């Protein structure tokens, strides 16, 4: 199997690359990544000497660059697309790049697949496209109802995939994963932000009442779900990939504080809520379990505590992200300093 993994220098893409190279001796992986603020070659350090791995810097909106990467790899069997702008808060702050990468970039990859007769594409999407649900769980045939510019852009990418399959027979399919946690996640997202802030003696900015619910999935389980869809999924289909671990943000915060031996009163600061903040995400993963034979393996509390310890023990990885350039400080100032 020869793969082009777009967005493979990000959090879940790099987990997928590391894990697939470890699991499959005969796979070759070319990573194609723009290296935005969220892309980081440190995430791929453990595979950089592996002759089955190569890296090309480029933008998925640039059709010629994608084609060049495919030719450079000597042809490919499939594209797995992780490349996206992924942070909901940044999509509220400045949505344009989300529309470009998440919609136009996906469209560009579909055109490349069509033009070159590539036999498979997996579009990595999100449970956020369904929006919030008070009770029960969304299944793949439910209506999409995106709330943020991020989820609307991901939904636009999903609709392109389904339309290309219907119109041109493009052999593409979609996975919709739930909130993912693990090592190497850019420290703008809830878990790495709270853990690294806590480790630096800073505050944990909990939005609103902290009772929003997310379904947490370990990055290794997410990678395995995408692998199962790549190997056994049907073109034109959608597969939900969730951890089955619904927790409020308060519960997540309590585990972080407990693991690090800190108290709520001195660290947590309740701040103005995110606009359009979805209350609860929940997906049914019966289709992935029965059709793909996939199910999550990582125990949530053990996985979260391991993850917290990984950030504690790998300050080299996150310290330069938070303090090595002005990028993170600018974001923090723009977003958090206005939230009373
Ligand atoms: P991330 O932000 O950590 O990484 C995104 C990667 O895409 C980065 O390496 C970045 O450089 C690259 N990229 C961005 N724009 C690009 C472009 N135009 N061309 C090429 N590369 C580009 O993201 P993540 O959290 O690893 O998410 C990966 C995918 O999984 C995304 O599609 C996201 O929507 C989806 N997803 C994420 C989660 C989650 O909880 N993190 C859950 C479900 C689905
Ligand atoms: O559901 C899948 C999605 O999960 C992915 O598609 C997205 O790419 C990924 O970023 C994530 O989106 P969320 O908005 O759920 O993740 P985030 O880590 O930003 O927020 C998780 C919850 O924590 C959410 O209810 C908002 C809250 N939160 C977040 C931050 C950054 C806070 O209370 N304070 C914060 O500072």
């Amino acid at each position: 199997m020869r793969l082009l993994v777009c967005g493979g220098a990000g959090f879940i893409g790099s987990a997928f690359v590391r894990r697939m190279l470890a699991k499959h001796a005969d796979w070759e992986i070319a990573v194609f990544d723009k290296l935005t603020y969220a892309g980081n070659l440190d995430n791929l350090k453990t595979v950089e000497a592996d002759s089955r791995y190569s890296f090309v810097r480029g933008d998925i909106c640039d059709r010629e660059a994608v084609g060049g990467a495919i030719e450079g790899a000597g042809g490919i069997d499939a594209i797995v697309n992780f490349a996206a702008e992924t942070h909901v808060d940044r999509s509220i702050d400045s949505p344009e790049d989300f529309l470009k990468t998440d919609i136009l970039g996906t469209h560009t990859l579909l055109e490349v697949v069509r033009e070159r007769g590539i036999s498979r594409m997996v579009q990595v999407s999100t449970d956020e496209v369904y929006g919030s649900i008070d009770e029960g769980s969304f299944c793949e045939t439910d209506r999409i109802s995106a709330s943020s510019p991020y989820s609307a852009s991901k939904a636009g990418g999903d609709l392109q995939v389904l339309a290309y399959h219907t119109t041109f027979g493009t052999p593409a399919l979609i996975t919709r994963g739930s909130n993912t946690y693990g090592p190497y996640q850019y420290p703008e997202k809830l878990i790495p932000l709270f853990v690294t802030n806590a480790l630096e003696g800073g505050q944990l900015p909990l939005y609103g009442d902290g009772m929003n619910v997310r379904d947490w999935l370990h990055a290794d389980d997410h990678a395995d779900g995408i692998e199962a869809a790549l190997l056994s999924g049907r073109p034109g289909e959608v597969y939900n990939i969730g951890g089955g671990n619904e927790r409020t943000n308060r519960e997540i915060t309590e585990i972080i504080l407990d693991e690090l031996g800190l108290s709520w009163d001195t660290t947590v600061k309740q701040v103005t809520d995110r606009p359009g903040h979805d209350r609860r995400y929940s997906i049914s993963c019966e289709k992935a379990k029965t059709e793909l034979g996939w199910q999550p393996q990582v125990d949530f509390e053990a996985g979260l505590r391991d993850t917290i310890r990984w950030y504690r023990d790998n300050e080299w990885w996150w310290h330069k992200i938070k303090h090595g350039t002005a990028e993170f400080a600018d974001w923090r100032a723009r977003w958090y300093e206005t939230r009373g």
Side-chain angles (χ1 to χ4, degrees), residues 26 36 46-47 82 88 93 101 109 118 120 122 140 144 148 177 194 198 205 216 225 232 254 263 289 327 334-335 340:
D26 56 344
T36 66
T46 57
V47 297
F82 293 88
V88 172
D93 180 67
T101 294
L109 295 178
I118 293 167
R120 215 162 179 76
V122 176
E140 290 83 350
I144 51 183
S148 70
F194 277 23
W216 293 96
S232 321
E254 272 157 10
S263 81
K289 287 178 185 164
E327 199 287 325
R334 206 158 73 239
W335 186 256

Side-chain angles (χ1 to χ4, degrees), residues 257-312:
L257 294 177
D258 180 63
E259 184 61 36
L260 298 178
L262 296 168
S263 81
W264 184 280
D265 294 343
T266 53
T267 46
V268 178
K269 182 181 178 206
Q270 283 186 253
V271 298
T272 312
D273 209 352
R274 168 189 283 174
H277 195 175
D278 283 331
R279 193 66 172 167
R280 173 173 174 261
Y281 293 146
S282 181
I283 48 176
S284 160
C285 300
E286 280 317 300
K287 185 174 172 184
K289 287 178 185 164
T290 53
E291 261 190 45
L292 306 178
W294 169 86
Q295 55 178 14
Q297 304 294 325
V298 180
D299 172 79
F300 177 67
E301 184 149 342
L304 179 54
R305 286 182 186 273
D306 279 351
T307 299
I308 296 165
R309 289 191 287 268
W310 186 88
Y311 289 101
R312 186 197 63 199

Side-chain angles (χ1 to χ4, degrees), residues 91-287:
S91 81
I92 296 166
D93 180 67
S94 41
E96 205 173 305
D97 282 346
F98 288 74
L99 274 77
K100 281 188 193 146
T101 294
D102 302 7
I103 302 177
L104 188 60
T106 304
H107 159 81
T108 306
L109 295 178
L110 288 162
E111 277 295 308
V112 170
V113 168
R114 190 159 84 93
E115 169 186 74
R116 292 173 179 266
I118 293 167
S119 35
R120 215 162 179 76
M121 171 169 155
V122 176
Q123 170 69 2
V124 178
S125 187
T126 169
D127 64 355
E128 292 209 22
V129 299
Y130 298 115
S132 195
I133 186 165
D134 291 336
E135 282 173 21
S137 303
F138 288 118
C139 65
E140 290 83 350
T141 48
D142 281 322
R143 192 170 63 97
I144 51 183
S145 176
S147 308
S148 70
Y150 162 68
S151 49
S153 303
K154 290 296 292 184
D158 285 13
L159 291 174
Q160 289 292 317
V161 171
L162 298 175
Y164 265 64
H165 177 261
T166 303
T167 307
F168 305 114
T170 306
L173 55 101
I174 297 168
T175 59
R176 291 188 179 145
S178 66
N179 276 65
T180 305
Y181 70 98
Y184 302 102
Q185 185 172 29
Y186 191 88
E188 64 190 351
K189 308 281 166 60
L190 176 73
I191 290 173
L193 178 76
F194 277 23
V195 173
T196 59
N197 278 8
L199 288 167
E200 294 186 292
Q203 286 185 314
L204 315 191
L206 188 65
Y207 295 161
D209 63 4
M211 294 305 287
N212 302 68
V213 172
R214 297 292 182 265
D215 168 19
W216 293 96
L217 170 70
H218 194 277
D220 287 345
D221 281 330
H222 198 159
D224 288 351
I226 293 163
E227 174 198 23
L230 172 68
L231 296 175
S232 321
R234 286 179 293 138
E237 293 292 319
V238 176
Y239 297 92
N240 288 344
I241 307 285
N245 302 300
E246 291 183 30
R247 299 287 189 282
T248 63
N249 294 334
R250 279 181 173 268
E251 289 173 302
I252 299 294
T253 306
E254 272 157 10
I255 296 174
I256 294 171
L257 294 177
D258 180 63
E259 184 61 36
L260 298 178
L262 296 168
S263 81
W264 184 280
D265 294 343
T266 53
T267 46
V268 178
K269 182 181 178 206
Q270 283 186 253
V271 298
T272 312
D273 209 352
R274 168 189 283 174
H277 195 175
D278 283 331
R279 193 66 172 167
R280 173 173 174 261
Y281 293 146
S282 181
I283 48 176
S284 160
C285 300
E286 280 317 300
K287 185 174 172 184

Side-chain angles (χ1 to χ4, degrees), residues 14-15 27 48 61-62 69 79 152 166 181-182 239 307 316 318 323:
S14 67
W27 283 24
E48 71 188 7
C61 300
D62 180 345
I79 293 180
T166 303
Y181 70 98
Y239 297 92
T307 299
W316 71 272
W318 56 264
H323 306 290

